[in-house]
Amino acid sequence: MRVLVAEDHRILARTIATGLRRQTMAVDVAHDGAEAERMCLLTAYDVLVLDRDLPVLSGDDLCRRLRDLVDPPPVLMLTAAGEVEDKVYGLTTLGADDYLAKPFDFAELVARVRTLSRRPPGPPPAGLDYAGIALDPARRTVRVHGRTVELTAREFEVLHLLLQARGAPVPHDTLVRTVWDEHLDPRTSAVRATVSRLRGKLGDPGLITADTGQGYRLCD
């Protein structure tokens, strides 16, 4: 899951981002509305955690603009204004998907982010079946030749991308951008280590191959 935190209070933004990363989410941070808008246009985020009082472009205006996108990210709006009329305005007039008043309990923030990420804009995503692997994105389950396999969140997302490619190579940079975030040094062994653990859990070391200069792919 990839999340954008748009918050101008840098300490709070860093605290939220660090906490979400500890929940195995990939997190980017923007400190003003214009930067957040640019990032949303370049990256498909699963959830946008949006402060209403952003400089340059306000959170209110950004939320309105995002509604014009073909596939906008779900918006969890953060604000110090916690009155009922403020919540109604944010959810109806501005088009936010959820609303959380400051100060908030971090466990509630995590729960709301996860709930928004599971809320499909249309029909539930279809299951994937390739090379003897059946993955259900809605239930987040994986079966290999009928055997249930338990994966971590990042292992699941890596496998999801490989299954979507159906044997075509998935570049290393794509895995970094989608499963991790902008803070991961692409030269680290994080991707290689995750793929190695995934191979072991799938029970077939040759099921995922590394093509030099191309990335990783599934072998049928």
Side-chain angles (χ1 to χ4, degrees), residues 14-28:
R14 184 169 61 248
T15 299
I16 293 173
T18 300
L20 294 179
R21 289 182 185 123
R22 287 173 179 165
Q23 298 294 319
T24 69
M25 301 180 196
V27 184
D28 297 336

Side-chain angles (χ1 to χ4, degrees), residues 99-148:
Y99 197 101
L100 188 58
K102 299 176 182 178
F104 52 83
D105 185 90
F106 190 75
E108 182 179 3
L109 173 68
V110 172
R112 289 175 181 267
V113 168
R114 290 198 183 281
T115 297
L116 284 178
S117 73
R118 294 194 299 266
R119 186 178 300 171
L128 299 171
D129 196 332
Y130 183 79
I133 304 171
L135 181 147
D136 186 331
R139 295 184 175 86
R140 297 189 68 82
T141 58
V142 174
R143 297 178 68 84
V144 180
H145 300 297
R147 172 178 61 90
T148 299

